[in-house]
Amino acid sequence: MIENDLLAQLQQQFPDHTFVQHRLSVVHKGRFANAIVYRYKDDGFDLIIKDFSQSPWFIRKSFARISVNQEYKGLSRLSELDAVANRFCRLSPIAVAYNYIEGTSLRSLIHQGKKLPVDFFSELERQVAKMHRKGIVHLDLRNMGNILCGADGKPYFIDFQSTISFARFPRWLQRFMRGSDMSGVYKAWSKLAEHPMPQAKQDYLEHFNHVRKRWIFKGYPIQRTYAWGAALVTQFLDSELVRSITDRL
């Protein structure tokens, strides 16, 4: 069973701990190119596990590997941030695990009509700025489901499949990528804060939204576009047709 394989992989990563099956539960059933998301919780561990084992073979051989690699690299690069899970591991080329963060997504809070103190958004802004100083952009923070208000009242980021280093891109594109992240902060601030956002930040958000309307990808994360393209190339290169041709060379 896949669950047994995951437990065996966890056991290999943490040999001093005993993992048991009844502590593993499904949080989200993935479909096609989406991972199945599990939660493992006992007295020593509380983990989220993303696993592509049940995806079609061409997804497992291409997009799944890219996705897991991106998630792991994003966690590794940002592990020093307070807003990121600090215990994580790659269980296999198509599975990754990291600490579960107790909290509620900002998207859910918006639907509930809740409000948050201004200090929350000031800290969120500080964490995003710290991420940018490390040369990293998240690229999907405008999705309110990827920002959590933790049980401790602090902001956290999740879902690092779009996270990339921006140094290799042109300066104008770097500014746009950083702006995408920061506009996500101000978008949340404008919808959820107990008090109005400062005028300078409102102006920034309005300006970015205006620029974004002219962006060719319409806000779709750049890395996901790259990842799907790379996945298709990988799938093609691994096809029987290409192998039969290369075998004759």
Side-chain angles (χ1 to χ4, degrees), residues 51-68:
D51 177 59
F52 287 89
S53 296
Q54 294 189 10
S55 296
W57 70 268
F58 59 90
I59 295 296
R60 296 196 306 271
K61 293 293 185 180
S62 53
F63 176 76
R65 293 170 182 262
I66 295 170
S67 177
V68 167

Side-chain angles (χ1 to χ4, degrees), residues 119-146:
D119 287 350
F120 174 90
F121 299 100
S122 296
E123 178 60 18
L124 177 60
E125 183 181 36
R126 191 180 75 83
Q127 291 292 318
V128 170
K130 187 175 180 179
M131 174 173 61
H132 290 170
R133 287 196 296 273
K134 290 180 174 293
I136 306 298
V137 284
H138 186 286
L139 291 183
D140 206 10
L141 292 181
R142 290 180 64 89
N143 177 354
M144 299 292 99
N146 288 335

